Amino acid sequence: MRNLNILIVDDHQLYRKAIVTELSETLSATLFEAANGAEAVHMTTRVFPDVVLIDYKMPIMNGMQATKEILRKNAAVRIIVISLYDELDVIMNFLRLGARGFVSKNTDGTEIKEAIRTVLAGDYYFHSRFHHMLSVKPENGAKKNSPYFNFTHRELQIIKMITAGKTSIEIAHELEISHRTVESCKFNLINKTNVKNTAQLIDFVYRNGII
Protein backbone atom coordinates (compact mmCIF):
# COMPACT_ATOMS: atom_id res chain seq x y z
CA MET A 1 0.00 0.00 0.00
CA ARG A 2 1.38 3.44 -0.97
CA ASN A 3 2.10 6.07 1.64
CA LEU A 4 -1.21 7.49 2.84
CA ASN A 5 -2.42 10.54 4.71
CA ILE A 6 -4.81 9.44 7.45
CA LEU A 7 -6.64 11.85 9.74
CA ILE A 8 -7.88 10.52 13.10
CA VAL A 9 -10.68 12.57 14.66
CA ASP A 10 -11.71 11.88 18.25
CA ASP A 11 -12.07 14.05 21.33
CA HIS A 12 -10.41 11.42 23.54
CA GLN A 13 -6.66 11.90 23.25
CA LEU A 14 -5.74 8.50 24.64
CA TYR A 15 -7.93 6.77 22.06
CA ARG A 16 -6.42 8.81 19.23
CA LYS A 17 -2.92 7.93 20.39
CA ALA A 18 -3.83 4.24 20.60
CA ILE A 19 -4.99 4.27 16.96
CA VAL A 20 -1.87 6.16 15.90
CA THR A 21 0.31 3.55 17.60
CA GLU A 22 -1.63 0.67 16.05
CA LEU A 23 -1.60 2.04 12.51
CA SER A 24 1.99 3.28 12.54
CA GLU A 25 3.25 -0.24 13.21
CA THR A 26 1.85 -1.77 10.03
CA LEU A 27 0.70 0.91 7.58
CA SER A 28 2.86 3.14 5.43
CA ALA A 29 1.02 6.31 6.34
CA THR A 30 1.42 9.83 7.64
CA LEU A 31 -0.96 10.17 10.57
CA PHE A 32 -2.66 13.38 11.65
CA GLU A 33 -4.95 14.07 14.61
CA ALA A 34 -7.91 16.33 15.33
CA ALA A 35 -9.82 16.66 18.61
CA ASN A 36 -13.21 17.61 17.15
CA GLY A 37 -15.09 18.01 13.91
CA ALA A 38 -14.21 21.67 13.43
CA GLU A 39 -10.48 20.88 13.64
CA ALA A 40 -10.98 18.02 11.20
CA VAL A 41 -12.67 20.24 8.60
CA HIS A 42 -9.87 22.80 8.91
CA MET A 43 -7.13 20.16 8.65
CA THR A 44 -8.71 18.54 5.61
CA THR A 45 -7.79 21.57 3.50
CA ARG A 46 -4.19 21.47 4.79
CA VAL A 47 -3.16 17.82 4.85
CA PHE A 48 -5.48 16.40 2.14
CA PRO A 49 -6.19 13.06 3.84
CA ASP A 50 -6.95 9.93 1.83
CA VAL A 51 -8.87 8.49 4.78
CA VAL A 52 -10.59 10.09 7.76
CA LEU A 53 -11.36 8.00 10.85
CA ILE A 54 -14.00 9.96 12.73
CA ASP A 55 -16.02 9.63 15.93
CA TYR A 56 -19.69 10.63 16.15
CA LYS A 57 -20.15 12.43 19.48
CA MET A 58 -17.64 15.28 19.83
CA PRO A 59 -17.72 18.86 21.14
CA ILE A 60 -17.92 21.97 18.91
CA MET A 61 -18.82 19.98 15.78
CA ASN A 62 -19.97 16.37 15.78
CA GLY A 63 -18.93 13.66 13.35
CA MET A 64 -21.96 13.97 11.08
CA GLN A 65 -21.56 17.71 10.67
CA ALA A 66 -17.84 17.31 10.01
CA THR A 67 -18.40 14.49 7.51
CA LYS A 68 -20.79 16.68 5.54
CA GLU A 69 -18.30 19.55 5.42
CA ILE A 70 -15.27 17.39 4.64
CA LEU A 71 -16.97 15.70 1.70
CA ARG A 72 -18.28 19.03 0.46
CA LYS A 73 -14.69 20.21 0.26
CA ASN A 74 -13.27 16.96 -1.12
CA ALA A 75 -15.63 14.20 -2.24
CA ALA A 76 -12.74 11.79 -2.79
CA VAL A 77 -11.95 11.43 0.93
CA ARG A 78 -12.84 7.99 2.34
CA ILE A 79 -14.56 8.43 5.68
CA ILE A 80 -14.83 5.64 8.24
CA VAL A 81 -16.88 6.19 11.38
CA ILE A 82 -15.42 4.72 14.58
CA SER A 83 -17.94 5.04 17.38
CA LEU A 84 -19.57 3.46 20.41
CA TYR A 85 -22.96 4.36 18.87
CA ASP A 86 -23.48 1.11 16.99
CA GLU A 87 -27.04 2.06 16.03
CA LEU A 88 -28.54 1.51 12.60
CA ASP A 89 -30.09 4.96 12.36
CA VAL A 90 -26.81 6.66 13.25
CA ILE A 91 -24.87 4.60 10.72
CA MET A 92 -27.45 5.18 7.98
CA ASN A 93 -27.26 8.95 8.44
CA PHE A 94 -23.50 8.77 7.96
CA LEU A 95 -23.94 6.62 4.84
CA ARG A 96 -26.38 9.11 3.37
CA LEU A 97 -23.70 11.76 3.74
CA GLY A 98 -21.16 9.64 1.91
CA ALA A 99 -19.23 7.77 4.62
CA ARG A 100 -17.80 4.45 3.44
CA GLY A 101 -17.59 2.42 6.60
CA PHE A 102 -18.38 1.95 10.26
CA VAL A 103 -16.30 0.25 12.94
CA SER A 104 -17.52 -0.15 16.50
CA LYS A 105 -15.09 1.07 19.14
CA ASN A 106 -15.59 -2.28 20.85
CA THR A 107 -13.02 -3.90 18.60
CA ASP A 108 -9.28 -3.95 17.97
CA GLY A 109 -6.93 -2.29 15.52
CA THR A 110 -7.13 -5.18 13.08
CA GLU A 111 -10.66 -4.18 12.09
CA ILE A 112 -9.65 -0.57 11.57
CA LYS A 113 -6.77 -1.53 9.28
CA GLU A 114 -9.02 -3.85 7.30
CA ALA A 115 -11.61 -1.09 7.02
CA ILE A 116 -8.97 1.28 5.61
CA ARG A 117 -7.82 -1.24 3.03
CA THR A 118 -11.40 -2.05 2.03
CA VAL A 119 -12.64 1.51 1.51
CA LEU A 120 -9.50 2.44 -0.41
CA ALA A 121 -10.31 -0.45 -2.74
CA GLY A 122 -13.67 1.19 -3.42
CA ASP A 123 -15.88 -0.95 -1.19
CA TYR A 124 -17.84 -0.40 2.03
CA TYR A 125 -16.74 -1.89 5.33
CA PHE A 126 -18.88 -2.54 8.41
CA HIS A 127 -17.97 -3.94 11.79
CA SER A 128 -21.37 -3.57 13.42
CA ARG A 129 -24.07 -5.65 15.00
CA PHE A 130 -26.13 -4.66 11.95
CA HIS A 131 -23.53 -5.97 9.51
CA HIS A 132 -25.89 -8.11 7.43
CA MET A 133 -28.44 -5.32 7.06
CA LEU A 134 -25.82 -2.72 6.20
CA SER A 135 -24.14 -4.87 3.56
CA VAL A 136 -27.15 -4.45 1.26
CA LYS A 137 -28.02 -0.82 2.01
CA PRO A 138 -25.43 0.86 -0.27
CA GLU A 139 -26.35 -1.47 -3.13
CA ASN A 140 -29.98 -0.44 -2.76
CA GLY A 141 -29.13 3.22 -3.17
CA ALA A 142 -30.06 4.33 0.33
CA LYS A 143 -27.37 6.99 0.28
CA LYS A 144 -28.64 8.57 -2.94
CA ASN A 145 -32.37 8.16 -2.66
CA SER A 146 -33.07 9.02 0.99
CA PRO A 147 -32.97 12.55 2.39
CA TYR A 148 -30.35 13.42 5.00
CA PHE A 149 -31.32 14.98 8.30
CA ASN A 150 -28.77 15.75 10.99
CA PHE A 151 -30.76 14.25 13.87
CA THR A 152 -29.30 14.62 17.33
CA HIS A 153 -28.71 11.52 19.43
CA ARG A 154 -31.70 12.46 21.61
CA GLU A 155 -33.93 12.88 18.55
CA LEU A 156 -32.91 9.46 17.27
CA GLN A 157 -33.72 7.93 20.66
CA ILE A 158 -37.16 9.51 20.66
CA ILE A 159 -37.85 8.56 17.02
CA LYS A 160 -37.18 4.91 17.85
CA MET A 161 -39.48 5.04 20.86
CA ILE A 162 -42.26 6.77 18.93
CA THR A 163 -42.16 4.15 16.19
CA ALA A 164 -42.24 1.46 18.89
CA GLY A 165 -45.61 2.85 19.98
CA LYS A 166 -44.52 4.46 23.25
CA THR A 167 -46.38 7.47 24.58
CA SER A 168 -44.69 10.74 25.48
CA ILE A 169 -45.10 9.92 29.17
CA GLU A 170 -43.46 6.50 28.69
CA ILE A 171 -40.60 8.06 26.70
CA ALA A 172 -40.06 10.72 29.36
CA HIS A 173 -39.95 8.07 32.08
CA GLU A 174 -37.48 5.81 30.23
CA LEU A 175 -35.14 8.65 29.25
CA GLU A 176 -35.52 10.37 32.62
CA ILE A 177 -36.49 13.68 31.05
CA SER A 178 -39.60 15.82 31.36
CA HIS A 179 -42.80 15.25 29.41
CA ARG A 180 -42.44 18.81 28.09
CA THR A 181 -38.97 18.00 26.71
CA VAL A 182 -40.35 15.01 24.84
CA GLU A 183 -43.19 17.05 23.36
CA SER A 184 -40.76 19.80 22.34
CA CYS A 185 -38.53 17.24 20.63
CA LYS A 186 -41.51 15.73 18.79
CA PHE A 187 -42.53 19.21 17.62
CA ASN A 188 -38.99 19.84 16.32
CA LEU A 189 -38.94 16.47 14.54
CA ILE A 190 -42.25 17.21 12.81
CA ASN A 191 -40.93 20.58 11.65
CA LYS A 192 -37.55 19.17 10.61
CA THR A 193 -39.09 16.45 8.45
CA ASN A 194 -41.82 18.76 7.11
CA VAL A 195 -44.70 16.49 8.11
CA LYS A 196 -47.97 17.45 9.83
CA ASN A 197 -48.31 15.08 12.77
CA THR A 198 -46.86 12.09 14.63
CA ALA A 199 -48.54 9.57 12.33
CA GLN A 200 -46.92 11.16 9.28
CA LEU A 201 -43.58 11.31 11.14
CA ILE A 202 -43.71 7.54 11.73
CA ASP A 203 -44.57 6.95 8.06
CA PHE A 204 -41.71 9.24 7.00
CA VAL A 205 -39.23 7.40 9.22
CA TYR A 206 -40.12 4.00 7.77
CA ARG A 207 -40.28 5.16 4.14
CA ASN A 208 -36.83 6.69 4.32
CA GLY A 209 -35.13 3.88 6.19
CA ILE A 210 -34.15 6.07 9.14
CA ILE A 211 -34.58 3.17 11.56
Side-chain angles (χ1 to χ4, degrees), residues 154-155 158 168 171-172 175-189:
R154 177 67 78 197
E155 286 174 337
I158 291 177
S168 294
I171 293 171
L175 296 180
E176 298 181 342
I177 57 178
S178 70
H179 177 265
R180 179 174 293 181
T181 298
V182 175
E183 288 298 315
S184 176
C185 186
K186 286 173 65 175
F187 178 79
N188 290 337
L189 285 167

mmCIF file of all heavy atoms in Angstrom, residues 154-155 158 168 171-172 175-189:
data_model
loop_
_atom_site.group_PDB
_atom_site.id
_atom_site.type_symbol
_atom_site.label_atom_id
_atom_site.label_comp_id
_atom_site.label_asym_id
_atom_site.label_seq_id
_atom_site.Cartn_x
_atom_site.Cartn_y
_atom_site.Cartn_z
ATOM 1 N N ARG A 154 -30.438 12.470 20.882
ATOM 2 C CA ARG A 154 -31.701 12.461 21.611
ATOM 3 C C ARG A 154 -32.886 12.306 20.657
ATOM 4 O O ARG A 154 -33.828 11.558 20.926
ATOM 5 C CB ARG A 154 -31.841 13.760 22.420
ATOM 6 C CG ARG A 154 -33.169 13.881 23.165
ATOM 7 C CD ARG A 154 -33.265 12.841 24.268
ATOM 8 N NE ARG A 154 -32.496 13.239 25.435
ATOM 9 C CZ ARG A 154 -32.123 12.423 26.399
ATOM 10 N NH1 ARG A 154 -32.435 11.137 26.319
ATOM 11 N NH2 ARG A 154 -31.436 12.843 27.437
ATOM 12 N N GLU A 155 -32.850 13.003 19.528
ATOM 13 C CA GLU A 155 -33.934 12.882 18.552
ATOM 14 C C GLU A 155 -34.040 11.461 18.014
ATOM 15 O O GLU A 155 -35.141 10.931 17.843
ATOM 16 C CB GLU A 155 -33.723 13.869 17.404
ATOM 17 C CG GLU A 155 -34.005 15.308 17.776
ATOM 18 C CD GLU A 155 -33.647 16.280 16.683
ATOM 19 O OE1 GLU A 155 -32.805 15.943 15.817
ATOM 20 O OE2 GLU A 155 -34.190 17.403 16.689
ATOM 21 N N ILE A 158 -35.722 9.276 20.581
ATOM 22 C CA ILE A 158 -37.161 9.508 20.663
ATOM 23 C C ILE A 158 -37.875 8.982 19.425
ATOM 24 O O ILE A 158 -38.976 8.422 19.521
ATOM 25 C CB ILE A 158 -37.436 11.010 20.901
ATOM 26 C CG1 ILE A 158 -36.974 11.385 22.323
ATOM 27 C CG2 ILE A 158 -38.914 11.343 20.703
ATOM 28 C CD1 ILE A 158 -37.108 12.853 22.668
ATOM 29 N N SER A 168 -45.640 9.729 25.006
ATOM 30 C CA SER A 168 -44.690 10.745 25.476
ATOM 31 C C SER A 168 -44.356 10.547 26.944
ATOM 32 O O SER A 168 -43.208 10.751 27.369
ATOM 33 C CB SER A 168 -45.256 12.149 25.249
ATOM 34 O OG SER A 168 -45.381 12.421 23.877
ATOM 35 N N ILE A 171 -41.933 7.648 27.189
ATOM 36 C CA ILE A 171 -40.604 8.061 26.700
ATOM 37 C C ILE A 171 -39.902 8.907 27.750
ATOM 38 O O ILE A 171 -38.712 8.708 28.042
ATOM 39 C CB ILE A 171 -40.744 8.845 25.380
ATOM 40 C CG1 ILE A 171 -41.255 7.932 24.264
ATOM 41 C CG2 ILE A 171 -39.393 9.457 24.973
ATOM 42 C CD1 ILE A 171 -41.631 8.660 22.985
ATOM 43 N N ALA A 172 -40.642 9.847 28.332
ATOM 44 C CA ALA A 172 -40.059 10.716 29.364
ATOM 45 C C ALA A 172 -39.554 9.895 30.544
ATOM 46 O O ALA A 172 -38.470 10.149 31.080
ATOM 47 C CB ALA A 172 -41.098 11.738 29.817
ATOM 48 N N LEU A 175 -36.327 7.820 29.497
ATOM 49 C CA LEU A 175 -35.145 8.647 29.253
ATOM 50 C C LEU A 175 -34.817 9.560 30.429
ATOM 51 O O LEU A 175 -33.804 10.261 30.404
ATOM 52 C CB LEU A 175 -35.342 9.489 27.986
ATOM 53 C CG LEU A 175 -35.477 8.720 26.668
ATOM 54 C CD1 LEU A 175 -35.657 9.692 25.507
ATOM 55 C CD2 LEU A 175 -34.254 7.837 26.428
ATOM 56 N N GLU A 176 -35.701 9.545 31.431
ATOM 57 C CA GLU A 176 -35.519 10.375 32.623
ATOM 58 C C GLU A 176 -35.433 11.852 32.266
ATOM 59 O O GLU A 176 -34.542 12.588 32.726
ATOM 60 C CB GLU A 176 -34.281 9.921 33.413
ATOM 61 C CG GLU A 176 -34.396 8.491 33.927
ATOM 62 C CD GLU A 176 -33.176 8.058 34.726
ATOM 63 O OE1 GLU A 176 -32.128 8.705 34.600
ATOM 64 O OE2 GLU A 176 -33.291 7.095 35.497
ATOM 65 N N ILE A 177 -36.369 12.276 31.419
ATOM 66 C CA ILE A 177 -36.492 13.680 31.052
ATOM 67 C C ILE A 177 -37.945 14.082 31.268
ATOM 68 O O ILE A 177 -38.807 13.247 31.542
ATOM 69 C CB ILE A 177 -36.065 13.940 29.596
ATOM 70 C CG1 ILE A 177 -36.896 13.070 28.633
ATOM 71 C CG2 ILE A 177 -34.572 13.662 29.413
ATOM 72 C CD1 ILE A 177 -36.561 13.295 27.164
ATOM 73 N N SER A 178 -38.242 15.357 31.127
ATOM 74 C CA SER A 178 -39.603 15.825 31.363
ATOM 75 C C SER A 178 -40.507 15.534 30.170
ATOM 76 O O SER A 178 -40.042 15.409 29.030
ATOM 77 C CB SER A 178 -39.608 17.335 31.643
ATOM 78 O OG SER A 178 -39.295 18.051 30.459
ATOM 79 N N HIS A 179 -41.796 15.440 30.467
ATOM 80 C CA HIS A 179 -42.799 15.254 29.412
ATOM 81 C C HIS A 179 -42.747 16.420 28.429
ATOM 82 O O HIS A 179 -42.884 16.238 27.205
ATOM 83 C CB HIS A 179 -44.182 15.143 30.048
ATOM 84 C CG HIS A 179 -45.301 15.030 29.055
ATOM 85 N ND1 HIS A 179 -46.012 16.127 28.623
ATOM 86 C CD2 HIS A 179 -45.814 13.963 28.393
ATOM 87 C CE1 HIS A 179 -46.926 15.741 27.755
ATOM 88 N NE2 HIS A 179 -46.828 14.437 27.601
ATOM 89 N N ARG A 180 -42.522 17.622 28.945
ATOM 90 C CA ARG A 180 -42.439 18.807 28.091
ATOM 91 C C ARG A 180 -41.265 18.710 27.118
ATOM 92 O O ARG A 180 -41.376 19.117 25.957
ATOM 93 C CB ARG A 180 -42.324 20.069 28.950
ATOM 94 C CG ARG A 180 -42.214 21.361 28.138
ATOM 95 C CD ARG A 180 -42.242 22.575 29.018
ATOM 96 N NE ARG A 180 -43.542 22.724 29.662
ATOM 97 C CZ ARG A 180 -43.838 23.738 30.476
ATOM 98 N NH1 ARG A 180 -42.926 24.657 30.751
ATOM 99 N NH2 ARG A 180 -45.030 23.807 31.018
ATOM 100 N N THR A 181 -40.138 18.167 27.587
ATOM 101 C CA THR A 181 -38.968 18.005 26.714
ATOM 102 C C THR A 181 -39.269 17.047 25.569
ATOM 103 O O THR A 181 -38.883 17.287 24.420
ATOM 104 C CB THR A 181 -37.764 17.484 27.520
ATOM 105 O OG1 THR A 181 -37.426 18.436 28.528
ATOM 106 C CG2 THR A 181 -36.553 17.255 26.628
ATOM 107 N N VAL A 182 -39.980 15.974 25.878
ATOM 108 C CA VAL A 182 -40.351 15.013 24.835
ATOM 109 C C VAL A 182 -41.259 15.667 23.810
ATOM 110 O O VAL A 182 -41.053 15.526 22.588
ATOM 111 C CB VAL A 182 -41.042 13.773 25.446
ATOM 112 C CG1 VAL A 182 -41.522 12.835 24.337
ATOM 113 C CG2 VAL A 182 -40.096 13.041 26.375
ATOM 114 N N GLU A 183 -42.265 16.400 24.271
ATOM 115 C CA GLU A 183 -43.191 17.053 23.355
ATOM 116 C C GLU A 183 -42.478 18.091 22.494
ATOM 117 O O GLU A 183 -42.774 18.248 21.307
ATOM 118 C CB GLU A 183 -44.326 17.716 24.146
ATOM 119 C CG GLU A 183 -45.313 16.727 24.743
ATOM 120 C CD GLU A 183 -46.023 15.925 23.667
ATOM 121 O OE1 GLU A 183 -46.473 16.514 22.669
ATOM 122 O OE2 GLU A 183 -46.113 14.687 23.824
ATOM 123 N N SER A 184 -41.535 18.811 23.093
ATOM 124 C CA SER A 184 -40.764 19.796 22.342
ATOM 125 C C SER A 184 -39.931 19.116 21.252
ATOM 126 O O SER A 184 -39.838 19.610 20.120
ATOM 127 C CB SER A 184 -39.859 20.585 23.290
ATOM 128 O OG SER A 184 -39.028 21.476 22.576
ATOM 129 N N CYS A 185 -39.335 17.982 21.605
ATOM 130 C CA CYS A 185 -38.527 17.244 20.632
ATOM 131 C C CYS A 185 -39.400 16.730 19.489
ATOM 132 O O CYS A 185 -39.014 16.790 18.322
ATOM 133 C CB CYS A 185 -37.803 16.094 21.322
ATOM 134 S SG CYS A 185 -36.629 15.225 20.254
ATOM 135 N N LYS A 186 -40.589 16.214 19.819
ATOM 136 C CA LYS A 186 -41.510 15.730 18.790
ATOM 137 C C LYS A 186 -41.912 16.869 17.854
ATOM 138 O O LYS A 186 -41.979 16.692 16.632
ATOM 139 C CB LYS A 186 -42.743 15.100 19.439
ATOM 140 C CG LYS A 186 -42.485 13.747 20.059
ATOM 141 C CD LYS A 186 -43.680 13.242 20.840
ATOM 142 C CE LYS A 186 -44.869 12.969 19.970
ATOM 143 N NZ LYS A 186 -45.986 12.361 20.748
ATOM 144 N N PHE A 187 -42.166 18.047 18.425
ATOM 145 C CA PHE A 187 -42.527 19.210 17.616
ATOM 146 C C PHE A 187 -41.390 19.564 16.656
ATOM 147 O O PHE A 187 -41.623 19.842 15.465
ATOM 148 C CB PHE A 187 -42.836 20.390 18.534
ATOM 149 C CG PHE A 187 -43.174 21.661 17.808
ATOM 150 C CD1 PHE A 187 -44.438 21.851 17.262
ATOM 151 C CD2 PHE A 187 -42.226 22.662 17.668
ATOM 152 C CE1 PHE A 187 -44.743 23.034 16.579
ATOM 153 C CE2 PHE A 187 -42.515 23.833 16.984
ATOM 154 C CZ PHE A 187 -43.782 24.025 16.441
ATOM 155 N N ASN A 188 -40.151 19.530 17.165
ATOM 156 C CA ASN A 188 -38.994 19.837 16.322
ATOM 157 C C ASN A 188 -38.818 18.802 15.213
ATOM 158 O O ASN A 188 -38.459 19.141 14.082
ATOM 159 C CB ASN A 188 -37.724 19.903 17.174
ATOM 160 C CG ASN A 188 -37.694 21.103 18.090
ATOM 161 O OD1 ASN A 188 -38.362 22.108 17.836
ATOM 162 N ND2 ASN A 188 -36.936 21.018 19.165
ATOM 163 N N LEU A 189 -39.062 17.529 15.535
ATOM 164 C CA LEU A 189 -38.943 16.469 14.538
ATOM 165 C C LEU A 189 -39.979 16.633 13.426
ATOM 166 O O LEU A 189 -39.673 16.437 12.245
ATOM 167 C CB LEU A 189 -39.110 15.099 15.205
ATOM 168 C CG LEU A 189 -37.931 14.601 16.035
ATOM 169 C CD1 LEU A 189 -38.345 13.408 16.891
ATOM 170 C CD2 LEU A 189 -36.763 14.220 15.125
#
